[in-house]
Amino acid sequence: MMRPMKLAGSELMFGEGCLEYIKTIKAKRVSIVIGGKSMERSGMLAKVEGYFHEAGAETMVISGVEPDPSFQTVMRGASEMMTFQPDLIVGLGGGSAMDAAKTMWIFYEHPELKKMEDILPPNEFPKLRAKARFCCIPSTSGTASEVSRSVVISDNETGMKHGLGNMEMMPDIAICDPEVTASMPAKITAETGMDALTHALEALASNRANYVSDILATQAALDIMETLPKAYENGQDMKAREIMVQASMVAGMAFTNVSLGIVHSMAHTIGGFFHVAHGLADAILLPYIIDFNSADETAAAVYAGIAEKAGVKELGAAVKELNKTLNIPETFKDVIADEEKYMGMLDELAKVALADGCTKTNPIIPTLDQLKELFVKAYKGE
């Protein structure tokens, strides 16, 4: 059942069947950004284009966004948009497609900008919506880019990831239909679901946490812990898919307002240097960081409260058990074979993670040595 909601000028649609909302959107030319072939194979791309055509809009597709979207791909997409001149841009797919689409939007609206550095702090973020509005249609239940002000884009030369957040990038329209997520493979369901759980738990422990974010993040965390195994075991369980896409969305609303913590700082770093999928990195790191943050009384109380509500004895142990159920490895040693390279980069890994924007809202601001120790623990399982 479609459930519409308007939030601060944005249109948020959720529930089975809400994809049809596209037919009510006022647009003349629509650029749709996708990743690989999954949206074509599942028939979702054709369905989305069909609804726009029914509404009288012309569409074009920008495809080939990588799992770690690159700045080169962003500029290619922006160039295609300059030719087509859309008045609506749609990110259809996982977080990569949505992040790439958001960033293409910036460089389409501002062709005078030429480099990623042009929009990174301390530069002033450019105003958007002079040419187009922005819509997200997620195919995964994890990244919450559809309700997020953030993007992560990789540098073509170094491979390092640039994180950027600004409220200008909040989508005007988000359409969260569980049908779009039904084509997700079990592995992607697991990893993106753990990304969503990390969003919720890090928002709860954030040193900016507040009354509203706590309400959102608490329910999201509980629903994900209960429902993710069901969605993983049966991809066609539409009730589980619907709960997951909504819980991911709600966790996104929470962290967009209070930010995250060092699970994300470290996962961004591991992803940049070793190209580990973001949700997988989050899942491996989360139990270690829960243990580390529990030295803070407030964070420990937050974790204990969630554990009690979830009916588990200890949250870190429950997350480890959930990872096992989802066939997610316990350590990075299982996914990064070159231990010598990893251990040789500890200083650099710690420096990059410490400088990440998510670190400043972690309940404990770690030292470089503490981060190095955490990177070792997450690799060796100690």
Side-chain angles (χ1 to χ4, degrees):
M1 178 182 174
M2 181 170 70
R3 299 172 183 89
M5 183 181 292
K6 275 192 172 280
L7 295 172
S10 296
E11 299 161 45
L12 175 59
M13 311 305 298
F14 55 94
E16 194 170 354
C18 70
L19 198 64
E20 282 198 49
Y21 183 73
I22 289 171
K23 293 191 286 189
T24 71
I25 297 172
K26 306 297 184 192
K28 293 179 180 177
R29 288 180 298 279
V30 182
S31 288
I32 302 170
V33 181
I34 62 172
K37 299 290 185 183
S38 63
M39 289 295 94
E40 293 178 65
R41 285 195 302 265
S42 68
M44 278 303 134
L45 176 60
K47 196 166 190 176
V48 166
E49 286 197 277
Y51 285 151
F52 275 118
H53 296 162
E54 282 188 54
E58 185 182 349
T59 61
M60 61 88 72
V61 177
I62 299 169
S63 60
V65 174
E66 315 93 322
D68 293 317
S70 69
F71 183 67
Q72 185 176 37
T73 295
V74 165
M75 293 307 283
R76 171 176 62 82
S79 175
E80 291 183 41
M81 288 178 188
M82 287 297 295
T83 301
F84 184 67
Q85 290 290 304
D87 56 352
L88 180 71
I89 296 165
V90 176
L92 170 63
S96 299
M98 291 187 283
D99 281 8
K102 282 183 192 176
T103 318
M104 290 173 190
W105 180 29
I106 298 167
F107 288 91
Y108 163 60
E109 295 246 358
H110 293 276
E112 73 278 8
L113 302 174
K114 305 297 181 186
K115 307 186 299 294
M116 191 70 186
E117 286 73 18
D118 291 340
I119 59 174
L120 295 174
N123 292 313
E124 185 176 350
F125 194 87
K127 291 290 183 184
L128 300 175
R129 296 172 181 80
K131 293 182 179 179
R133 294 197 301 157
F134 188 78
C135 170
C136 276
I137 305 174
S139 67
T140 61
S141 301
T143 64
S145 291
E146 71 274 10
V147 289
S148 163
R149 62 189 178 91
S150 305
V151 298
V152 179
I153 302 296
S154 293
D155 184 295
N156 286 88
E157 294 179 4
T158 66
M160 284 307 299
K161 297 185 177 186
H162 293 293
L164 176 65
N166 191 284
M167 291 303 288
E168 278 290 306
M169 290 190 289
M170 282 291 286
D172 300 290
I173 305 165
I175 301 174
C176 303
D177 191 325
E179 182 190 1
V180 185
T181 73
S183 61
M184 263 196 302
K187 185 176 187 294
I188 304 301
T189 297
E191 293 176 4
T192 56
M194 289 304 295
D195 188 17
L197 179 59
T198 305
H199 290 158
L201 294 179
E202 289 209 295
L204 283 164
S206 167
N207 57 33
R208 292 183 190 166
N210 57 52
Y211 178 82
V212 174
S213 67
D214 283 353
I215 290 172
L216 296 170
T218 296
Q219 192 61 52
L222 296 174
D223 284 345
I224 292 165
M225 290 175 73
E226 179 182 353
T227 309
L228 179 53
K230 299 174 187 175
Y232 173 73
E233 289 161 15
N234 179 8
Q236 298 308 307
D237 182 340
M238 293 308 292
K239 181 61 179 174
R241 288 287 190 200
E242 183 168 12
I243 291 171
M244 281 302 303
V245 77
Q246 291 173 181
S248 170
M249 173 186 73
V250 168
M253 291 177 182
F255 89 74
T256 287
N257 284 281
V258 300
S259 193
L260 294 160
I262 60 172
V263 176
H264 270 75
S265 303
M266 294 173 71
H268 290 155
T269 306
I270 289 288
F273 284 107
F274 294 98
H275 305 290
V276 176
H278 176 68
L280 175 59
D282 277 348
I284 292 172
L285 285 162
L286 185 54
Y288 299 101
I289 305 308
I290 288 173
D291 181 60
F292 174 77
N293 285 344
S294 292
D296 176 82
E297 287 185 13
T298 302
V302 165
Y303 297 146
I306 290 295
E308 183 180 1
K309 287 182 174 70
V312 298
K313 188 173 180 181
E314 197 270 322
L315 186 60
V319 171
K320 280 187 177 180
E321 194 59 38
L322 179 56
N323 278 342
K324 282 183 185 176
T325 300
L326 303 172
N327 289 308
I328 288 173
E330 288 188 25
T331 68
F332 284 123
K333 191 168 188 173
D334 296 309
V335 293
I336 301 172
D338 194 340
E339 181 174 351
E340 185 178 349
K341 179 182 177 183
Y342 183 97
M343 293 302 169
M345 292 181 67
L346 287 175
D347 286 335
E348 191 169 5
L349 292 173
K351 285 176 185 175
V352 172
L354 187 63
D356 189 285
C358 295
T359 298
K360 62 188 176 187
T361 43
N362 199 67
I364 299 172
I365 308 301
T367 64
L368 281 171
D369 284 342
Q370 286 174 319
L371 277 167
K372 284 164 66 175
E373 184 180 344
L374 286 168
F375 275 115
V376 171
K377 282 183 176 180
Y379 191 87
K380 295 187 173 181
E382 296 172 354

